[in-house]
Amino acid sequence: MNVVILAAGQGKRMRSARPKVLHLLAGKPLLAHVLDAARSAVGESGRICVVYGHGGEEVPAALSRAEVIWVKQEPQLGTGHAVLQAMPHLDPTRRTLVLYGDVPLTRVETLNRLIAESGDAALALLTVCLDDAHGYGRIVRADDGTVLRIVEDKDASEKERAIAEVNTGILVAPTGRLAAWLPTLGRNNAQGEYYLTDIVALAAAEKLAVRSVHPADTWEVQGVNSKSQLAALERVRQGCLAQQLMDEGVQLADPARIDVRGELVCGRDVFIDINCLFEGRVELSDGVVIGPNCLIKDCSVGEDSRIAAFSHIDSANIGPACRIGPYARLRPGTELGQDVHIGNFVEVKNSSIADHSKANHLSYVGDSEVGSRVNIGAGTITCNYDGTNKHRTVIEDDVFIGSDTQLVAPVTVGRGATLGAGTTLTSNAPPDSLTVSRAKQVTVPGWKRPVKKA
Ligand code: UD1
Ligand code: CA
């Protein structure tokens, strides 16, 4: 199979500097959705051609994939003209599937039905009946149901405008016939464009079978022309993803309040509370519980770990049986072992924290290596940045760090050491000892507070 994806249009109604097909749906450009569906439908041996134009090289640059043939259409003289530009790149011995770069949610099974329907020689159209067909090309049939032609909305008579069955634009055609038809198209129509849809009348005139297939759901053929249509399809996509997760056994507090912009892979008995956003690739192992309002990106979470409300996690690996949050922030390069506790208003960056260690309140752990069974007291800060360079902090096993401590890196706290509360550690703390840097406490007896001057 050949595939031609039409993506040269401007998308004026998006009111955006970004080419329409690069707008994101579920975290992925519209055109990438179409490319993925096309690849699934036609397999590795299929030839995929994308016709681009508006937005220039930004489109191929954003989706640089080796296996796609990029064809520039300039100027854009209509859908027939667009497919014509791709013809030299197609395999004439195989059929051609035409898709739109701004119609992102067509099911692969629908495309497969359309391909099957086209057989060896027929023209197969994906059509749908709409309550409001305004703006679409209408499918004109003979009394016996034979498809005769497609008439564009702007060219249609009043009687034709009453037809509910519309052209989705998605079709499969025999490539040899396509090559013969396209150069003969005229542009003597209401829009002065070369209409791809005019090939239907040509096929009918040549007594070639014109067949039709309907999608299971209308949203499969809905395009994105505006921000509100984009938002509507985003909801459709998120609804499908939520349904898929529930079918796999994931418990969602509310399937309408989860957003997945990437790939979310879940084990058994995972529970996800409301308003969570998952980005990139996230893996949740068996028994993981995610509290409400969490943002989790490119992360793996080990068995039975719990992430409490309002936590923000980006590029971290969390071991099993951990307790994270509420209000925790794990930044890139965080590696947590087993049974690690990261509490409220604790930020961890580019650091490893080994089994059974805890930082429960108000701390910053950056560029650090923390051993097992370490307790990091409230308000502990690793001072990893001297204004120019970042330095590492090493905290060995079984260390106890008192509250409000600053560790001025590079510095090492030896195994089993204790740091007294309020310490500013500027050189290494030896193992199994108490280190404290704190001004001696003094009391001034009878001291009086100043009084306000009259
Ligand atoms: C087209 C169909 C219409 C169908 C409708 C479905 C034609 C003549 N009409 O109309 O029957 O009901 O889609 O949405 O085909 N494009 C190019 N180059 C061009 C023109 C368009 O690549 O020169 C691309 C656009 O980026 C878009 C697609 O083709 O992805 C459809 O173009 P659009 O202008 O939206 O076609 P419609 O007028 O909506
Ligand atoms: Ca359109």
Side-chain angles (χ1 to χ4, degrees):
M1 286 290 297
N2 302 294
V3 183
V4 178
I5 301 175
L6 304 187
Q10 178 175 13
K12 264 196 208 117
R13 279 183 286 157
M14 294 299 276
R15 296 180 180 275
S16 170
R18 191 191 290 184
K20 175 160 77 171
V21 293
L22 295 185
H23 281 79
L24 302 182
L25 183 114
K28 192 163 88 173
L30 294 173
L31 181 54
H33 285 269
V34 182
L35 283 169
D36 288 348
R39 184 54 75 196
S40 302
V42 304
E44 284 312 310
S45 67
R47 226 180 259 187
I48 300 181
C49 232
V50 178
V51 182
Y52 71 103
H54 209 90
E57 304 310 316
E58 213 182 315
V59 176
L63 289 162
S64 54
R65 300 187 188 193
E67 79 275 26
V68 174
I69 303 162
W70 296 95
V71 181
K72 194 160 190 177
Q73 183 199 16
E74 191 117 83
Q76 289 109 41
L77 301 178
T79 49
H81 179 256
V83 176
L84 183 62
Q85 309 310 305
M87 290 315 292
H89 306 279
L90 306 184
D91 177 348
T93 66
R94 293 153 148 203
R95 286 165 292 167
T96 297
L97 166 67
V98 176
L99 300 172
Y100 286 1
D102 56 1
V103 178
L105 297 182
T106 318
R107 285 194 179 95
V108 175
E109 62 209 56
T110 301
L111 297 179
N112 285 336
R113 276 196 291 128
L114 187 70
I115 291 167
E117 195 67 24
S118 72
D120 276 342
L123 183 60
L125 308 174
L126 189 63
T127 74
V128 70
C129 290
L130 298 179
D131 293 334
D132 179 11
H134 177 80
Y136 289 90
R138 309 298 205 285
I139 308 294
V140 181
R141 292 177 186 265
D143 291 340
D144 67 356
T146 314
V147 176
L148 299 176
R149 59 195 174 90
I150 292 175
V151 62
E152 290 305 299
D153 190 64
K154 291 200 171 86
D155 301 280
S157 66
E158 206 167 320
K159 203 174 144 219
E160 288 165 337
R161 286 210 180 103
I163 299 171
E165 188 185 7
V166 307
N167 171 38
T168 65
I170 296 172
L171 58 82
V172 176
T175 305
R177 295 292 187 101
L178 207 50
W181 294 328
L182 290 177
T184 73
L185 297 180
R187 53 198 290 200
N188 183 19
N189 52 52
Q191 302 183 74
E193 288 180 2
Y194 297 100
Y195 288 167
L196 178 62
T197 45
D198 284 349
I199 68 169
V200 177
L202 297 174
E206 293 174 19
K207 302 273 182 273
L208 190 80
V210 181
R211 305 204 178 104
S212 62
V213 164
H214 297 317
D217 288 290
T218 305
W219 48 254
E220 290 186 66
V221 296
Q222 271 163 358
V224 172
N225 298 299
S226 64
K227 295 278 165 67
S228 78
Q229 287 174 346
L230 180 60
L233 285 187
E234 178 76 32
R235 285 302 97 211
V236 167
R237 179 71 185 141
Q238 293 302 336
C240 292
L241 289 168
Q243 187 59 49
Q244 206 174 304
L245 287 168
M246 292 187 294
D247 291 346
E248 289 164 13
V250 178
Q251 189 185 349
L252 302 179
D254 181 355
R257 282 183 288 173
I258 175 172
D259 284 85
V260 180
R261 299 180 192 155
E263 197 185 354
L264 175 58
V265 183
C266 295
R268 289 176 80 88
D269 298 308
V270 166
F271 174 75
I272 299 172
D273 214 322
I274 58 168
N275 293 336
C276 291
L277 168 57
F278 297 90
E279 293 187 336
R281 186 183 159 86
V282 175
E283 262 187 74
L284 307 179
S285 302
D286 295 356
V288 165
V289 172
I290 309 289
N293 300 297
C294 291
L295 192 162
I296 302 182
K297 180 182 176 190
D298 292 318
C299 172
S300 66
V301 183
E303 262 179 60
D304 298 318
S305 282
R306 292 171 162 260
I307 298 180
F310 295 101
S311 293
H312 185 170
I313 297 171
D314 180 1
S315 307
N317 289 316
I318 299 170
C322 289
R323 296 287 174 270
I324 312 297
Y327 299 100
R329 178 156 186 225
L330 304 185
R331 291 171 52 202
T334 296
E335 301 282 337
L336 306 183
Q338 182 179 343
D339 180 38
V340 172
H341 292 201
I342 301 293
N344 41 225
F345 308 108
V346 174
E347 174 180 342
V348 182
K349 184 214 78 170
N350 189 30
S351 295
S352 61
I353 303 182
D355 302 352
H356 315 295
S357 289
K358 297 177 174 59
N360 274 327
H361 331 267
L362 299 160
S363 289
Y364 173 61
V365 179
D367 301 310
S368 300
E369 191 183 311
V370 179
S372 298
R373 297 171 305 278
V374 169
N375 186 83
I376 296 177
T380 298
I381 308 286
T382 55
C383 308
N384 59 331
Y385 186 49
D386 60 14
T388 309
N389 294 303
K390 300 275 172 73
H391 302 284
R392 287 195 73 76
T393 300
V394 177
I395 303 171
E396 294 179 353
D397 293 347
D398 299 298
V399 162
F400 182 97
I401 298 178
S403 298
D404 191 27
T405 294
Q406 301 93 51
L407 300 126
V408 182
V411 75
T412 296
V413 184
R415 175 187 283 263
T418 299
L419 301 188
T423 293
T424 300
L425 192 73
T426 49
S427 54
N428 295 349
D432 299 315
S433 315
L434 170 67
T435 298
V436 59
S437 79
R438 198 191 290 164
K440 227 182 172 75
Q441 183 167 318
V442 294
T443 301
V444 180
W447 182 83
K448 292 279 184 299
R449 289 183 207 152
V451 287
K452 201 165 175 86
K453 284 179 186 149

